[in-house]
Protein backbone atom coordinates (compact mmCIF):
# COMPACT_ATOMS: atom_id res chain seq x y z
CA UNK A 1 0.00 0.00 0.00
CA UNK A 2 2.88 2.37 0.84
CA UNK A 3 4.35 1.90 -2.64
CA UNK A 4 0.99 2.61 -4.27
CA UNK A 5 0.54 5.71 -2.12
CA UNK A 6 3.98 7.03 -3.09
CA UNK A 7 3.18 6.41 -6.75
CA UNK A 8 -0.17 8.20 -6.44
CA UNK A 9 1.49 11.18 -4.73
CA UNK A 10 4.14 11.50 -7.46
CA UNK A 11 1.47 11.24 -10.15
CA UNK A 12 -0.64 13.93 -8.46
CA UNK A 13 2.33 16.30 -8.06
CA UNK A 14 3.18 15.93 -11.76
CA UNK A 15 -0.43 16.71 -12.68
CA UNK A 16 -0.47 19.81 -10.44
CA UNK A 17 2.59 21.15 -12.27
CA UNK A 18 0.85 20.64 -15.62
CA UNK A 19 -2.42 22.22 -14.43
CA UNK A 20 -0.42 25.29 -13.36
CA UNK A 21 0.54 25.84 -17.00
CA UNK A 22 -2.62 24.89 -18.92
CA UNK A 23 -3.80 27.56 -21.36
CA UNK A 24 -6.18 27.94 -24.31
CA UNK A 25 -3.73 26.13 -26.63
CA UNK A 26 -3.04 23.08 -24.43
CA UNK A 27 -6.01 21.08 -25.74
CA UNK A 28 -6.53 19.06 -27.80
CA UNK A 29 -3.02 18.40 -29.18
CA UNK A 30 -0.79 18.59 -26.08
CA UNK A 31 -3.10 17.51 -23.26
CA UNK A 32 -6.68 16.28 -22.95
CA UNK A 33 -8.28 15.67 -19.58
CA UNK A 34 -11.86 14.78 -20.52
CA UNK A 35 -12.85 11.87 -22.75
CA UNK A 36 -15.15 8.87 -22.74
CA UNK A 37 -14.94 5.29 -24.00
CA UNK A 38 -17.50 2.57 -24.75
CA UNK A 39 -17.39 1.80 -21.00
CA UNK A 40 -19.63 4.80 -20.34
CA UNK A 41 -21.32 6.85 -23.06
CA UNK A 42 -18.49 7.14 -25.59
CA UNK A 43 -17.89 5.38 -28.90
CA UNK A 44 -14.15 4.73 -28.67
CA UNK A 45 -12.56 1.49 -27.53
CA UNK A 46 -9.73 2.15 -25.02
CA UNK A 47 -7.19 0.74 -27.50
CA UNK A 48 -8.42 3.02 -30.31
CA UNK A 49 -8.39 5.99 -27.96
CA UNK A 50 -4.76 5.33 -27.00
CA UNK A 51 -3.73 4.82 -30.64
CA UNK A 52 -5.18 8.26 -31.42
CA UNK A 53 -3.51 9.83 -28.37
CA UNK A 54 -0.13 8.58 -29.59
CA UNK A 55 -0.81 9.58 -33.21
CA UNK A 56 -1.81 13.12 -32.11
CA UNK A 57 1.32 13.34 -29.96
CA UNK A 58 -0.44 13.98 -26.65
CA UNK A 59 1.92 14.48 -23.71
CA UNK A 60 -0.72 13.55 -21.17
CA UNK A 61 -4.37 12.57 -20.86
CA UNK A 62 -7.07 11.18 -18.62
CA UNK A 63 -10.01 8.96 -19.55
CA UNK A 64 -13.02 10.16 -17.55
CA UNK A 65 -15.79 7.63 -18.04
CA UNK A 66 -18.87 8.15 -15.87
CA UNK A 67 -18.63 6.35 -12.53
CA UNK A 68 -16.16 3.74 -13.70
CA UNK A 69 -12.51 3.02 -14.51
CA UNK A 70 -12.75 -0.09 -16.69
CA UNK A 71 -11.88 1.96 -19.79
CA UNK A 72 -8.93 3.57 -18.01
CA UNK A 73 -7.64 0.19 -16.81
CA UNK A 74 -7.92 -1.28 -20.31
CA UNK A 75 -6.13 1.75 -21.79
CA UNK A 76 -3.36 1.51 -19.17
CA UNK A 77 -2.81 -2.18 -19.94
CA UNK A 78 -2.73 -1.38 -23.67
CA UNK A 79 -0.23 1.45 -23.10
CA UNK A 80 2.10 -0.73 -21.00
CA UNK A 81 2.05 -3.32 -23.79
CA UNK A 82 2.71 -0.64 -26.42
CA UNK A 83 5.68 0.74 -24.46
CA UNK A 84 7.12 -2.77 -24.21
CA UNK A 85 6.85 -3.20 -27.99
CA UNK A 86 8.12 0.31 -28.82
CA UNK A 87 11.15 0.83 -26.58
CA UNK A 88 12.46 4.39 -26.63
CA UNK A 89 9.29 5.86 -28.16
CA UNK A 90 7.82 8.86 -26.39
CA UNK A 91 4.52 7.95 -24.77
CA UNK A 92 1.82 10.08 -23.18
CA UNK A 93 1.28 10.03 -19.43
CA UNK A 94 -2.09 8.46 -18.63
CA UNK A 95 -3.65 9.52 -15.32
CA UNK A 96 -6.54 7.80 -13.60
CA UNK A 97 -9.79 9.66 -14.17
CA UNK A 98 -13.53 9.45 -13.62
CA UNK A 99 -16.55 11.76 -13.99
CA UNK A 100 -18.89 11.81 -10.99
CA UNK A 101 -22.41 13.26 -10.66
CA UNK A 102 -22.84 15.39 -7.55
CA UNK A 103 -25.23 17.83 -5.91
CA UNK A 104 -23.94 21.41 -5.65
CA UNK A 105 -26.30 24.28 -4.76
CA UNK A 106 -29.24 21.90 -5.25
CA UNK A 107 -28.46 21.12 -8.88
CA UNK A 108 -26.55 18.25 -10.48
CA UNK A 109 -22.99 18.99 -11.55
CA UNK A 110 -20.17 16.78 -12.79
CA UNK A 111 -16.91 16.51 -10.86
CA UNK A 112 -13.83 15.14 -12.60
CA UNK A 113 -11.42 13.15 -10.41
CA UNK A 114 -7.79 12.74 -11.46
CA UNK A 115 -4.65 10.93 -10.31
CA UNK A 116 -6.43 9.09 -7.48
CA UNK A 117 -5.52 5.69 -6.11
CA UNK A 118 -7.92 3.40 -7.96
CA UNK A 119 -8.00 0.85 -5.13
CA UNK A 120 -8.62 3.39 -2.37
CA UNK A 121 -11.80 2.54 -0.43
CA UNK A 122 -13.03 6.16 -0.46
CA UNK A 123 -13.53 5.94 -4.24
CA UNK A 124 -15.42 2.66 -4.25
CA UNK A 125 -18.97 4.18 -4.17
CA UNK A 126 -18.10 6.32 -7.20
CA UNK A 127 -16.79 3.47 -9.38
CA UNK A 128 -19.96 1.33 -9.53
CA UNK A 129 -21.00 2.49 -13.04
CA UNK A 130 -23.96 4.43 -11.67
CA UNK A 131 -24.55 7.71 -9.83
CA UNK A 132 -24.66 7.72 -6.05
CA UNK A 133 -27.46 9.02 -3.79
CA UNK A 134 -27.79 10.49 -0.31
CA UNK A 135 -24.69 11.82 1.43
CA UNK A 136 -22.36 10.26 -1.16
CA UNK A 137 -24.04 12.44 -3.83
CA UNK A 138 -23.14 15.71 -2.07
CA UNK A 139 -20.31 17.64 -3.74
CA UNK A 140 -18.44 18.11 -0.46
CA UNK A 141 -18.32 14.34 0.09
CA UNK A 142 -17.32 13.60 -3.50
CA UNK A 143 -14.44 16.07 -3.24
CA UNK A 144 -13.38 14.69 0.17
CA UNK A 145 -13.36 11.12 -1.22
CA UNK A 146 -11.17 12.16 -4.16
CA UNK A 147 -8.72 13.89 -1.80
CA UNK A 148 -8.63 10.86 0.54
CA UNK A 149 -7.56 8.77 -2.46
CA UNK A 150 -4.73 11.22 -3.20
CA UNK A 151 -6.44 12.76 -6.23
CA UNK A 152 -7.48 16.16 -7.57
CA UNK A 153 -11.09 17.30 -8.01
CA UNK A 154 -12.17 19.55 -10.90
CA UNK A 155 -15.56 21.05 -11.75
CA UNK A 156 -16.38 19.94 -15.31
CA UNK A 157 -17.72 22.43 -17.90
CA UNK A 158 -18.75 25.06 -15.29
CA UNK A 159 -20.86 27.14 -17.70
CA UNK A 160 -23.14 24.26 -18.74
CA UNK A 161 -25.45 23.92 -15.76
CA UNK A 162 -28.83 25.16 -14.59
CA UNK A 163 -27.10 27.63 -12.29
CA UNK A 164 -24.51 30.20 -13.28
CA UNK A 165 -20.78 29.49 -13.06
CA UNK A 166 -20.58 32.75 -11.09
CA UNK A 167 -22.50 30.90 -8.33
CA UNK A 168 -21.15 27.39 -8.79
CA UNK A 169 -17.41 28.05 -8.85
CA UNK A 170 -17.31 29.94 -5.50
CA UNK A 171 -19.51 27.20 -3.98
CA UNK A 172 -17.23 24.45 -5.31
CA UNK A 173 -14.15 26.32 -4.06
CA UNK A 174 -15.77 26.57 -0.63
CA UNK A 175 -16.13 22.78 -0.60
CA UNK A 176 -12.47 22.24 -1.46
CA UNK A 177 -12.42 21.75 -5.23
CA UNK A 178 -8.93 21.97 -6.75
CA UNK A 179 -9.70 23.23 -10.23
CA UNK A 180 -12.18 24.11 -12.94
CA UNK A 181 -12.41 23.01 -16.57
CA UNK A 182 -11.69 26.50 -17.87
CA UNK A 183 -11.04 25.64 -21.50
CA UNK A 184 -14.12 23.92 -22.91
CA UNK A 185 -15.93 24.13 -26.26
CA UNK A 186 -19.57 24.74 -25.33
CA UNK A 187 -20.90 24.89 -28.91
CA UNK A 188 -18.93 21.94 -30.32
CA UNK A 189 -17.09 24.00 -32.99
CA UNK A 190 -14.98 22.39 -35.69
CA UNK A 191 -12.05 22.56 -35.33
CA UNK A 192 -12.30 22.30 -31.55
CA UNK A 193 -11.51 25.49 -29.66
CA UNK A 194 -12.48 26.74 -26.21
CA UNK A 195 -15.44 29.12 -26.01
CA UNK A 196 -13.83 32.55 -25.58
CA UNK A 197 -16.30 34.35 -23.32
CA UNK A 198 -16.94 31.44 -20.93
CA UNK A 199 -13.23 30.54 -20.77
CA UNK A 200 -12.28 34.09 -19.79
CA UNK A 201 -15.00 34.27 -17.14
CA UNK A 202 -14.06 30.90 -15.66
CA UNK A 203 -10.33 31.74 -15.64
CA UNK A 204 -11.02 34.94 -13.73
CA UNK A 205 -13.00 33.02 -11.14
CA UNK A 206 -10.24 30.38 -10.96
CA UNK A 207 -7.70 33.13 -10.23
CA UNK A 208 -9.96 34.69 -7.62
CA UNK A 209 -10.42 31.39 -5.76
CA UNK A 210 -6.87 30.02 -6.34
CA UNK A 211 -8.02 27.10 -8.51
CA UNK A 212 -6.25 25.23 -11.29
CA UNK A 213 -7.38 25.67 -14.90
CA UNK A 214 -7.85 22.47 -16.90
CA UNK A 215 -8.95 21.65 -20.45
CA UNK A 216 -10.65 18.79 -22.23
CA UNK A 217 -12.64 17.94 -25.34
CA UNK A 218 -15.25 15.82 -23.49
CA UNK A 219 -14.99 13.40 -26.41
CA UNK A 220 -17.96 11.05 -26.79
CA UNK A 221 -17.50 10.28 -30.49
CA UNK A 222 -14.69 8.71 -32.50
CA UNK A 223 -12.20 11.62 -32.61
CA UNK A 224 -10.18 12.94 -29.67
CA UNK A 225 -10.11 16.29 -31.46
CA UNK A 226 -13.90 16.82 -31.13
CA UNK A 227 -16.63 16.38 -28.54
CA UNK A 228 -19.13 14.52 -30.76
Amino acid sequence: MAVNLARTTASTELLKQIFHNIDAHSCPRLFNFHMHTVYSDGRLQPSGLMEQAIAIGLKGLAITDHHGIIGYQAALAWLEDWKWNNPGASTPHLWSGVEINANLLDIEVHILAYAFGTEHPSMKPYLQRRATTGQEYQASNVIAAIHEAGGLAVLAHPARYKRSHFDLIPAAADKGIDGVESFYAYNNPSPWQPSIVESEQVQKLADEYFLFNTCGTDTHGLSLLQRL
Side-chain angles (χ1 to χ4, degrees):
M1 185 70 186
V3 174
N4 283 347
L5 191 61
R7 194 178 296 145
T8 300
T9 304
S11 173
T12 305
E13 288 307 311
L14 175 61
L15 190 56
K16 281 182 183 175
Q17 289 170 24
I18 288 164
F19 282 171
H20 268 302
N21 296 302
I22 291 290
D23 63 25
H25 306 291
S26 299
C27 280
R29 295 188 178 274
L30 291 175
F31 295 99
N32 195 341
F33 296 108
H34 195 164
M35 53 184 81
H36 299 273
T37 73
V38 292
Y39 290 99
S40 66
D41 54 350
R43 293 177 62 198
L44 279 167
Q45 293 288 342
S47 56
L49 185 151
M50 291 310 301
E51 284 169 353
Q52 273 193 56
I54 288 167
I56 289 165
L58 283 178
K59 294 181 184 297
L61 69 152
I63 292 167
T64 52
D65 281 330
H66 296 276
H67 304 105
I69 52 167
I70 297 170
Y72 157 72
Q73 290 169 326
L76 188 62
W78 185 94
L79 183 60
E80 291 304 319
D81 194 49
W82 193 88
K83 283 182 190 172
W84 179 259
N85 290 312
N86 296 270
S90 67
T91 51
H93 192 107
L94 176 64
W95 282 274
S96 58
V98 67
E99 188 167 15
I100 301 167
N101 293 14
N103 177 21
L104 180 65
L105 296 181
D106 294 324
I107 65 152
E108 184 164 274
V109 299
H110 293 175
I111 294 174
L112 296 159
Y114 297 115
F116 54 89
T118 55
E119 302 298 318
H120 197 283
S122 71
M123 290 300 290
K124 193 173 180 189
Y126 303 108
L127 303 179
Q128 303 297 321
R129 303 190 71 181
R130 62 180 182 274
T132 53
T133 56
Q135 286 302 305
E136 287 171 346
Y137 179 61
Q138 301 304 313
S140 52
N141 292 330
V142 174
I143 293 164
I146 294 164
H147 289 162
E148 278 179 50
L152 298 173
V154 168
L155 181 63
H157 38 66
R160 222 181 89 186
Y161 300 113
K162 289 176 184 169
R163 285 194 69 164
S164 164
H165 45 295
F166 292 103
D167 296 332
L168 291 170
I169 291 172
D174 187 52
K175 296 185 187 309
I177 205 123
D178 300 292
V180 284
E181 194 173 37
S182 303
F183 304 104
Y184 188 89
Y186 289 94
N187 300 318
N188 198 35
S190 184
W192 187 93
Q193 58 182 19
S195 303
I196 293 169
V197 173
E198 291 89 340
S199 293
E200 284 181 3
Q201 291 170 345
V202 172
Q203 279 178 86
K204 277 186 185 162
L205 287 160
D207 287 346
E208 194 176 331
Y209 292 94
F210 305 101
L211 304 173
F212 293 119
N213 295 294
T214 77
C215 69
T217 54
D218 197 4
T219 291
H220 285 76
L222 294 172
S223 169
L224 293 187
L225 301 176
Q226 286 293 129
R227 179 164 181 258
L228 299 171

